Amino acid sequence: MSQASPIAAAQVRDAAPLFAALGDETRLRLLVRLAASGPESITHLSAESTVSRQAIKKHLDVLSKAGLVRGDRRGREHIWELEPKRFADACEYLDRISRQWDDALDRLKHFVED
Amino acid sequence: MSQASPIAAAQVRDAAPLFAALGDETRLRLLVRLAASGPESITHLSAESTVSRQAIKKHLDVLSKAGLVRGDRRGREHIWELEPKRFADACEYLDRISRQWDDALDRLKHFVED
DNA sequence: GTCATAGGCAACCTCCTGGTTGCATCTTAC
DNA sequence: GTAAGATGCAACCAGGAGGTTGCCTATGAC
């Protein structure tokens, strides 16, 4: 009887780029790094990475477009920080799919029992 | 003082393919469809899609490798169903990054105040 | 003002990914 | 056993993604 609300097509179109942004090892490492150390500049971030500064910059752009990080120019540095709300968005989305699956199984069960 | 446990490199390597599997609109639609209707065959799933049956099959393989769905051969049909546990895994992962970010900001705040 | 440092832009390359078509295989219905 | 339905497999193709190098711009230190 949980009756999760249905998932609209527009939400799928919004969620796909979000998960796509999360679906790269280098980007995930960037997020983990940011989460552990707090706001950081591009140079600092790329110093601890195996790939070039430009690669890191591209990844940050992708993450930024997905709303997962936010960049802030301070003088000649560009400081990046996490945007925790988007993480919650993604979580909620997954949770809704899960609940709808549970509902579907419940319906199947009742259908069989009738 | 929440002190979220650190995120290991191995977990990043595990999580990236999981999110990558979620990061495609066609695949997300498949998951939403499965969640709404319960277990379904490939032919049924592709009937409601704009892309070919083979494309759907490939996507199901990707989702399966990521552990998000499970396929079961029944006679000449191949029935696919959701694997809700993986959704919870992804959620938990995102949650851990978020909490670590909160910790980092707390530490920064205390550092400034000292 | 000059120089080093931080960052952005653009061109380029390679490989993976999403998609297709064509054909083979396996089941079930009759 | 034969035909139709459901699926798997392989080859192929176009475009995008991740990465690199080279060069330009802007800012801060001195």
Side-chain angles (χ1 to χ4, degrees), chain A residues 37-54:
Chain A
S37 63
E40 288 264 23
S41 76
I42 290 189
T43 310
H44 268 100
L45 289 171
S46 59
E48 300 213 354
S49 170
T50 58
V51 299
S52 69
R53 179 176 55 82
Q54 279 75 1

PDB file of all heavy atoms in Angstrom, chain A residues 37-54:
ATOM      1  N   SER A  37      38.659  16.804   1.447  1.00  0.00           N
ATOM      2  CA  SER A  37      39.552  17.919   1.768  1.00  0.00           C
ATOM      3  C   SER A  37      38.863  19.270   1.827  1.00  0.00           C
ATOM      4  O   SER A  37      39.482  20.254   2.227  1.00  0.00           O
ATOM      5  CB  SER A  37      40.668  17.972   0.717  1.00  0.00           C
ATOM      6  OG  SER A  37      40.108  18.239  -0.551  1.00  0.00           O
ATOM      7  N   GLY A  38      37.617  19.350   1.374  1.00  0.00           N
ATOM      8  CA  GLY A  38      36.969  20.648   1.287  1.00  0.00           C
ATOM      9  C   GLY A  38      37.330  21.329  -0.013  1.00  0.00           C
ATOM     10  O   GLY A  38      38.003  20.738  -0.855  1.00  0.00           O
ATOM     11  N   PRO A  39      36.886  22.575  -0.196  1.00  0.00           N
ATOM     12  CA  PRO A  39      37.089  23.302  -1.448  1.00  0.00           C
ATOM     13  C   PRO A  39      38.556  23.325  -1.877  1.00  0.00           C
ATOM     14  O   PRO A  39      39.450  23.491  -1.042  1.00  0.00           O
ATOM     15  CB  PRO A  39      36.607  24.715  -1.105  1.00  0.00           C
ATOM     16  CG  PRO A  39      35.627  24.524  -0.005  1.00  0.00           C
ATOM     17  CD  PRO A  39      36.126  23.364   0.790  1.00  0.00           C
ATOM     18  N   GLU A  40      38.790  23.162  -3.201  1.00  0.00           N
ATOM     19  CA  GLU A  40      40.160  23.097  -3.720  1.00  0.00           C
ATOM     20  C   GLU A  40      40.252  23.777  -5.080  1.00  0.00           C
ATOM     21  O   GLU A  40      39.270  23.870  -5.807  1.00  0.00           O
ATOM     22  CB  GLU A  40      40.565  21.626  -3.891  1.00  0.00           C
ATOM     23  CG  GLU A  40      40.811  20.885  -2.601  1.00  0.00           C
ATOM     24  CD  GLU A  40      42.283  20.860  -2.221  1.00  0.00           C
ATOM     25  OE1 GLU A  40      43.033  21.756  -2.695  1.00  0.00           O
ATOM     26  OE2 GLU A  40      42.673  19.947  -1.475  1.00  0.00           O
ATOM     27  N   SER A  41      41.455  24.179  -5.431  1.00  0.00           N
ATOM     28  CA  SER A  41      41.692  24.760  -6.752  1.00  0.00           C
ATOM     29  C   SER A  41      42.003  23.658  -7.761  1.00  0.00           C
ATOM     30  O   SER A  41      42.353  22.537  -7.390  1.00  0.00           O
ATOM     31  CB  SER A  41      42.855  25.733  -6.689  1.00  0.00           C
ATOM     32  OG  SER A  41      44.071  25.017  -6.633  1.00  0.00           O
ATOM     33  N   ILE A  42      41.890  24.001  -9.042  1.00  0.00           N
ATOM     34  CA  ILE A  42      42.174  23.033 -10.101  1.00  0.00           C
ATOM     35  C   ILE A  42      43.598  22.508 -10.000  1.00  0.00           C
ATOM     36  O   ILE A  42      43.841  21.305 -10.096  1.00  0.00           O
ATOM     37  CB  ILE A  42      41.983  23.699 -11.484  1.00  0.00           C
ATOM     38  CG1 ILE A  42      40.502  23.977 -11.737  1.00  0.00           C
ATOM     39  CG2 ILE A  42      42.559  22.828 -12.580  1.00  0.00           C
ATOM     40  CD1 ILE A  42      40.195  24.416 -13.141  1.00  0.00           C
ATOM     41  N   THR A  43      44.541  23.391  -9.783  1.00  0.00           N
ATOM     42  CA  THR A  43      45.941  22.981  -9.728  1.00  0.00           C
ATOM     43  C   THR A  43      46.185  21.986  -8.598  1.00  0.00           C
ATOM     44  O   THR A  43      46.856  20.970  -8.789  1.00  0.00           O
ATOM     45  CB  THR A  43      46.847  24.206  -9.542  1.00  0.00           C
ATOM     46  OG1 THR A  43      46.492  25.191 -10.515  1.00  0.00           O
ATOM     47  CG2 THR A  43      48.296  23.828  -9.714  1.00  0.00           C
ATOM     48  N   HIS A  44      45.605  22.275  -7.437  1.00  0.00           N
ATOM     49  CA  HIS A  44      45.732  21.332  -6.328  1.00  0.00           C
ATOM     50  C   HIS A  44      45.131  19.972  -6.681  1.00  0.00           C
ATOM     51  O   HIS A  44      45.707  18.932  -6.394  1.00  0.00           O
ATOM     52  CB  HIS A  44      45.043  21.889  -5.082  1.00  0.00           C
ATOM     53  CG  HIS A  44      45.948  22.668  -4.196  1.00  0.00           C
ATOM     54  ND1 HIS A  44      45.966  24.063  -4.204  1.00  0.00           N
ATOM     55  CD2 HIS A  44      46.882  22.283  -3.302  1.00  0.00           C
ATOM     56  CE1 HIS A  44      46.874  24.477  -3.335  1.00  0.00           C
ATOM     57  NE2 HIS A  44      47.447  23.430  -2.779  1.00  0.00           N
ATOM     58  N   LEU A  45      43.952  20.018  -7.277  1.00  0.00           N
ATOM     59  CA  LEU A  45      43.268  18.765  -7.615  1.00  0.00           C
ATOM     60  C   LEU A  45      44.066  17.951  -8.625  1.00  0.00           C
ATOM     61  O   LEU A  45      44.195  16.734  -8.496  1.00  0.00           O
ATOM     62  CB  LEU A  45      41.875  19.064  -8.170  1.00  0.00           C
ATOM     63  CG  LEU A  45      40.852  19.568  -7.150  1.00  0.00           C
ATOM     64  CD1 LEU A  45      39.578  20.045  -7.850  1.00  0.00           C
ATOM     65  CD2 LEU A  45      40.530  18.483  -6.126  1.00  0.00           C
ATOM     66  N   SER A  46      44.626  18.634  -9.626  1.00  0.00           N
ATOM     67  CA  SER A  46      45.328  17.896 -10.669  1.00  0.00           C
ATOM     68  C   SER A  46      46.706  17.444 -10.196  1.00  0.00           C
ATOM     69  O   SER A  46      47.277  16.500 -10.743  1.00  0.00           O
ATOM     70  CB  SER A  46      45.445  18.739 -11.938  1.00  0.00           C
ATOM     71  OG  SER A  46      46.139  19.931 -11.679  1.00  0.00           O
ATOM     72  N   ALA A  47      47.230  18.095  -9.167  1.00  0.00           N
ATOM     73  CA  ALA A  47      48.536  17.694  -8.649  1.00  0.00           C
ATOM     74  C   ALA A  47      48.494  16.270  -8.108  1.00  0.00           C
ATOM     75  O   ALA A  47      49.468  15.537  -8.213  1.00  0.00           O
ATOM     76  CB  ALA A  47      48.981  18.663  -7.553  1.00  0.00           C
ATOM     77  N   GLU A  48      47.353  15.872  -7.568  1.00  0.00           N
ATOM     78  CA  GLU A  48      47.241  14.532  -6.982  1.00  0.00           C
ATOM     79  C   GLU A  48      46.638  13.529  -7.951  1.00  0.00           C
ATOM     80  O   GLU A  48      46.250  12.436  -7.558  1.00  0.00           O
ATOM     81  CB  GLU A  48      46.380  14.602  -5.732  1.00  0.00           C
ATOM     82  CG  GLU A  48      46.949  15.534  -4.678  1.00  0.00           C
ATOM     83  CD  GLU A  48      46.646  15.040  -3.293  1.00  0.00           C
ATOM     84  OE1 GLU A  48      45.904  14.048  -3.171  1.00  0.00           O
ATOM     85  OE2 GLU A  48      47.151  15.649  -2.339  1.00  0.00           O
ATOM     86  N   SER A  49      46.545  13.922  -9.184  1.00  0.00           N
ATOM     87  CA  SER A  49      45.933  13.025 -10.160  1.00  0.00           C
ATOM     88  C   SER A  49      46.955  12.593 -11.204  1.00  0.00           C
ATOM     89  O   SER A  49      47.988  13.233 -11.378  1.00  0.00           O
ATOM     90  CB  SER A  49      44.763  13.729 -10.833  1.00  0.00           C
ATOM     91  OG  SER A  49      44.294  12.974 -11.928  1.00  0.00           O
ATOM     92  N   THR A  50      46.669  11.508 -11.866  1.00  0.00           N
ATOM     93  CA  THR A  50      47.585  11.012 -12.893  1.00  0.00           C
ATOM     94  C   THR A  50      47.363  11.729 -14.221  1.00  0.00           C
ATOM     95  O   THR A  50      48.248  11.732 -15.065  1.00  0.00           O
ATOM     96  CB  THR A  50      47.390   9.505 -13.112  1.00  0.00           C
ATOM     97  OG1 THR A  50      46.029   9.278 -13.493  1.00  0.00           O
ATOM     98  CG2 THR A  50      47.676   8.729 -11.847  1.00  0.00           C
ATOM     99  N   VAL A  51      46.196  12.308 -14.402  1.00  0.00           N
ATOM    100  CA  VAL A  51      45.904  12.948 -15.685  1.00  0.00           C
ATOM    101  C   VAL A  51      46.225  14.439 -15.629  1.00  0.00           C
ATOM    102  O   VAL A  51      46.485  15.008 -14.571  1.00  0.00           O
ATOM    103  CB  VAL A  51      44.430  12.743 -16.099  1.00  0.00           C
ATOM    104  CG1 VAL A  51      44.131  11.263 -16.260  1.00  0.00           C
ATOM    105  CG2 VAL A  51      43.496  13.394 -15.118  1.00  0.00           C
ATOM    106  N   SER A  52      46.182  15.074 -16.798  1.00  0.00           N
ATOM    107  CA  SER A  52      46.617  16.459 -16.924  1.00  0.00           C
ATOM    108  C   SER A  52      45.609  17.444 -16.309  1.00  0.00           C
ATOM    109  O   SER A  52      44.473  17.094 -16.026  1.00  0.00           O
ATOM    110  CB  SER A  52      46.788  16.798 -18.396  1.00  0.00           C
ATOM    111  OG  SER A  52      45.532  16.822 -19.034  1.00  0.00           O
ATOM    112  N   ARG A  53      46.083  18.668 -16.117  1.00  0.00           N
ATOM    113  CA  ARG A  53      45.222  19.715 -15.582  1.00  0.00           C
ATOM    114  C   ARG A  53      44.017  19.951 -16.479  1.00  0.00           C
ATOM    115  O   ARG A  53      42.900  20.164 -15.998  1.00  0.00           O
ATOM    116  CB  ARG A  53      46.044  20.997 -15.443  1.00  0.00           C
ATOM    117  CG  ARG A  53      45.295  22.194 -14.914  1.00  0.00           C
ATOM    118  CD  ARG A  53      46.227  23.376 -14.714  1.00  0.00           C
ATOM    119  NE  ARG A  53      46.961  23.721 -15.919  1.00  0.00           N
ATOM    120  CZ  ARG A  53      46.469  24.471 -16.905  1.00  0.00           C
ATOM    121  NH1 ARG A  53      45.257  24.950 -16.824  1.00  0.00           N
ATOM    122  NH2 ARG A  53      47.205  24.729 -17.968  1.00  0.00           N
ATOM    123  N   GLN A  54      44.235  19.914 -17.784  1.00  0.00           N
ATOM    124  CA  GLN A  54      43.131  20.162 -18.711  1.00  0.00           C
ATOM    125  C   GLN A  54      42.069  19.079 -18.613  1.00  0.00           C
ATOM    126  O   GLN A  54      40.878  19.373 -18.712  1.00  0.00           O
ATOM    127  CB  GLN A  54      43.635  20.243 -20.150  1.00  0.00           C
ATOM    128  CG  GLN A  54      44.221  21.576 -20.514  1.00  0.00           C
ATOM    129  CD  GLN A  54      45.589  21.791 -19.924  1.00  0.00           C
ATOM    130  OE1 GLN A  54      46.101  20.916 -19.243  1.00  0.00           O
ATOM    131  NE2 GLN A  54      46.188  22.928 -20.167  1.00  0.00           N
TER     132      GLN A  54
END
